[in-house]
Amino acid sequence: MNGVVIPQTPIAVDFWSLRRASTARLFFLSHMHSDHTVGLSSTWARPLYCSPITAHLLHRHLQVSKQWIRALELGKSHVLPLDEFGQETMTVTLMDANHCPGSVMFLFEGYFGTILYTGDFRYTPSMLKEPALILGKQIHTLYLDNTNCNPALILPSRQEATQQIVQLIQQFPQHNIKIGLYSLGKESLLEQLALQFRTWVVLSPQRLELVQLLGLADVFTVEEKAGRIHAVDHMEICHSAMLQWNQTHPTIAILPTSRKIRSSHPGIHTIPYSDHSSYSELRAFVAALRPCQVVPIVRQRPCGEFFQDSLSPGLSIPLIPHSVQQYMCSSSRKTDVLWQLERRLKRPRVKGVVFESPEEKADQAKVDRDSKKHKKANLSPWPGDLERLCPHPVQARKQLFPDFCRKECDKPVLFCDSKKMATVLTAPLEFSVQLQPVDEFISPETREEIGSESPLIPRGGSDSSARGNESDWIGCASPLSRISKDTNLAAESGGLALKYLLTPVNFFQLGFSSRNFDQQVEKYQES
């Protein structure tokens, strides 16, 4: 893994192990090569800073959520906070690293001085003309790409290496050309070869999407037989693949890399085309910047002794501001919790079941449950069950006699607003009743006699056989002494249910026990 947590700072570059980077709070990605994204996946949930092209590839190929990706424009200085309050800040500037699409160098400036992190880069003299570098800034720490920092390794420039590839292809005018590449990089080489030999370059759909994003010349296709130059994964270049390709058409393979690769087939050619700076280029770069110290990015290859003559006098270790210390020492889970809380607050809230007046309906709900138990058992409640079925008979009677109770009690009467259908459960009789206008069942004379406004009729109309011993009836909202013949209802009923319904509320207030309730009702009706 080529990455680092910069000491004495909350900055991490190409470093994605949160366990090992406990003090890091600001994370930067130089480019999308796999050796710089170890540990970075779709589960990443912290702000991450990179170039716009890298931001696109990061979301497209690693599925990192866009809410965590912060794309920074190249060549401009961006101010970022170094603590939770923004009291301490730093400036970061992104510069083209000339390595692969989206690769950048980071120039950090803050209380720690000036730090230049090259990432993987191929030096060109034009880099020294970057506005952030031509101002004569003193680079205190230079994190240097030392991949090719070896005096014994002589590398040509990329222009010279491209010319070597062109000359090789010219020696095989009738052959197909397989060029082994990594998943990202050397797209400009393919463009130059296509223009040089006037042929299409066949790419995979993924790489074609990338070159279209880069705005290169329209010389790429996904059709296998459209051109003689094919870009393939470097791992496909092997002895067995060469045998297979040559069975259908004469083919050579080219590996543009500075690594020493042993050829397993005479048709495989290695050209020292590199996207990393050569030793001589590194020497020129360090001599121009004259940093105070050079830190190698590839830690397994120390290179400090090669640049001792190009260094400036060292500086003392900077003091970390108190607010930054608190920021670095604070729990790394604190930021995660805040972001998770913010995400939850943004989620649409799903409403659950809404209950109407749960306090007022609690007693009625209990009566409903008890009544359903008796209905399943196909049993009629006995008078002795009145106290259990209706623990608050007065409240139940309020539903049957709203007008009468309204005179005796100032409390609001609970009743269904709809006049179409309502279920009224009372003890000891349970009926599903339909509320209808009075005029449909009772004549005006009868209504005047009984003072009724909300008559009740049984569900099912006049079909009394469905209810067994329950006959058709009409209950009124006030005591009934007699019922007019115009109602077409039976005036006599021996059932306890009708007696109960025709009993005024003040009778229940006498406190009779359920044991002799039936006898008391009969006596009351006879009197």
Side-chain angles (χ1 to χ4, degrees):
M1 178 177 63
N2 293 329
V4 65
V5 178
I6 300 178
Q8 314 299 323
T9 74
I11 302 171
V13 186
D14 297 342
F15 197 96
W16 314 108
S17 175
L18 296 179
R19 179 180 58 84
R20 298 168 56 192
S22 58
T23 61
R25 298 295 179 268
L26 298 172
F27 295 85
F28 297 84
L29 176 61
S30 63
H31 64 290
M32 273 292 292
H33 278 165
S34 59
D35 57 334
H36 292 258
T37 60
V38 177
L40 184 57
S41 66
S42 60
T43 61
W44 185 262
R46 293 195 178 191
L48 182 159
Y49 301 91
C50 59
S51 67
I53 293 178
T54 299
H56 174 83
L57 299 175
L58 185 61
H59 174 70
R60 185 72 175 84
H61 297 291
L62 292 185
Q63 287 80 47
V64 175
S65 176
K66 290 184 178 180
Q67 76 173 106
W68 305 114
I69 302 175
R70 308 288 190 267
L72 303 179
E73 186 177 351
L74 274 68
K76 292 188 176 180
S77 297
H78 306 271
V79 178
L80 300 178
L82 289 175
D83 54 28
E84 296 179 347
F85 314 102
Q87 179 179 351
E88 194 71 30
T89 62
M90 76 168 183
T91 300
V92 58
T93 306
L94 280 64
M95 297 172 287
D96 186 9
N98 195 31
H99 176 68
C100 70
S103 62
V104 293
M105 300 185 292
F106 295 107
L107 181 67
F108 304 107
E109 301 174 81
Y111 70 88
F112 42 77
T114 302
I115 298 174
L116 177 61
Y117 189 94
T118 66
D120 290 351
F121 85 119
R122 184 69 192 258
Y123 169 75
T124 61
S126 61
M127 290 180 175
L128 300 176
K129 298 180 181 179
E130 288 284 345
L133 297 178
I134 63 176
L135 299 179
K137 296 179 181 178
Q138 176 63 61
I139 304 298
H140 300 116
T141 304
L142 173 63
Y143 286 87
L144 186 66
D145 173 21
N146 59 319
T147 302
N148 293 329
C149 188
N150 182 1
L153 180 59
I154 307 300
L155 293 177
S157 65
R158 288 197 295 194
Q159 290 75 15
E160 295 172 345
T162 300
Q163 191 61 33
Q164 293 181 24
I165 296 175
V166 170
Q167 293 174 359
L168 176 63
I169 296 176
Q170 288 174 346
Q171 298 176 17
F172 301 91
Q174 304 301 324
H175 286 59
N176 285 342
I177 312 299
K178 302 290 184 179
I179 300 182
L181 305 174
Y182 293 102
S183 60
L184 181 66
K186 299 182 174 65
E187 288 77 16
S188 59
L189 169 63
L190 298 177
E191 180 186 36
Q192 295 179 45
L193 295 178
L195 297 176
Q196 177 71 31
F197 295 100
R198 299 183 181 273
T199 181
W200 292 97
V201 176
V202 181
L203 304 177
S204 65
Q206 294 77 11
R207 192 179 285 269
L208 179 63
E209 178 186 355
L210 173 61
V211 297
Q212 291 174 346
L213 177 66
L214 299 177
L216 299 179
D218 186 15
V219 294
F220 303 98
T221 181
V222 294
E223 298 181 15
E224 285 292 332
K225 299 182 180 180
R228 58 186 294 235
I229 299 179
H230 297 244
V232 299
D233 188 89
H234 71 102
M235 296 299 294
E236 295 184 38
I237 307 297
C238 60
H239 185 271
S240 60
M242 291 299 297
L243 294 178
Q244 181 179 358
W245 289 330
N246 279 278
Q247 288 179 356
T248 58
H249 194 279
T251 303
I252 65 169
I254 300 175
L255 290 173
T257 178
S258 59
R259 298 180 179 180
K260 298 297 182 180
I261 298 178
R262 181 179 178 181
S263 178
S264 59
H265 189 277
I268 300 177
H269 303 270
T270 302
I271 303 296
Y273 182 106
S274 180
D275 289 324
H276 297 269
S277 302
S278 64
Y279 174 76
S280 60
E281 292 169 344
L282 293 176
R283 288 278 299 172
F285 183 65
V286 175
L289 294 179
R290 297 190 62 82
C292 297
Q293 63 174 335
V294 175
V295 179
I297 291 178
V298 184
R299 292 181 294 275
Q300 296 80 4
R301 301 177 185 177
C303 62
E305 67 276 9
F306 299 126
F307 308 105
Q308 290 296 329
D309 57 342
S310 300
L311 301 182
S312 297
L315 298 178
S316 59
I317 299 177
L319 297 177
I320 305 177
H322 180 68
S323 60
V324 180
Q325 292 183 22
Q326 291 182 332
Y327 187 46
M328 295 169 60
C329 297
S330 62
S331 174
S332 60
R333 300 174 59 89
K334 183 176 181 180
T335 304
D336 296 340
V337 172
L338 294 177
W339 279 103
Q340 293 295 334
L341 178 60
E342 181 181 352
R343 292 179 64 185
R344 291 184 180 181
L345 293 177
K346 292 181 179 179
R347 293 177 183 173
R349 295 184 179 180
V350 180
K351 292 185 178 180
V353 179
V354 179
F355 296 92
E356 295 182 0
S357 303
E359 296 82 6
E360 298 177 353
K361 297 295 183 180
D363 295 334
Q364 187 65 26
K366 185 176 184 303
V367 175
D368 292 348
R369 291 193 298 269
D370 295 338
S371 300
K372 288 181 180 179
K373 292 180 181 179
H374 286 283
K375 196 169 185 180
K376 291 181 180 179
N378 198 18
L379 298 175
S380 299
W382 293 93
D385 298 331
L386 290 177
E387 292 180 355
R388 180 174 58 84
L389 292 177
C390 187
H392 302 285
V394 177
Q395 182 176 358
R397 295 294 292 177
K398 288 180 181 180
Q399 296 183 347
L400 294 176
F401 307 101
D403 293 340
F404 185 85
C405 296
R406 191 177 294 113
K407 297 178 182 179
E408 297 185 1
C409 182
D410 295 334
K411 296 183 178 180
V413 179
L414 302 178
F415 209 74
C416 181
D417 294 337
S418 173
K419 291 185 179 181
K420 294 183 179 180
M421 178 64 71
T423 300
V424 181
L425 301 180
T426 59
L429 182 64
E430 59 182 62
F431 272 150
S432 293
V433 298
Q434 186 176 8
L435 306 183
Q436 296 288 352
V438 177
D439 296 338
E440 293 184 14
F441 301 99
I442 305 178
S443 63
E445 294 80 4
T446 305
R447 185 175 58 182
E448 292 178 1
E449 290 179 341
I450 65 177
S452 173
E453 294 181 2
S454 301
L456 307 176
I457 66 171
R459 181 174 59 186
S462 59
D463 186 6
S464 59
S465 62
R467 303 295 296 182
N469 61 348
E470 298 171 3
S471 59
D472 295 343
W473 56 276
I474 293 183
C476 304
S478 62
L480 295 181
S481 59
R482 57 192 180 92
I483 304 177
S484 176
K485 295 181 180 181
D486 296 337
T487 62
N488 295 325
L489 300 175
E492 297 180 359
S493 177
L496 178 61
L498 186 58
K499 295 178 183 180
Y500 178 79
L501 293 173
L502 299 181
T503 304
V505 176
N506 58 5
F507 174 78
F508 296 96
Q509 298 175 348
L510 298 179
F512 293 109
S513 64
S514 60
R515 181 176 302 175
N516 61 349
F517 182 80
D518 191 17
Q519 294 83 354
Q520 297 296 335
V521 171
E522 291 181 357
K523 291 180 182 181
Y524 185 87
Q525 294 293 334
E526 292 175 358
S527 61

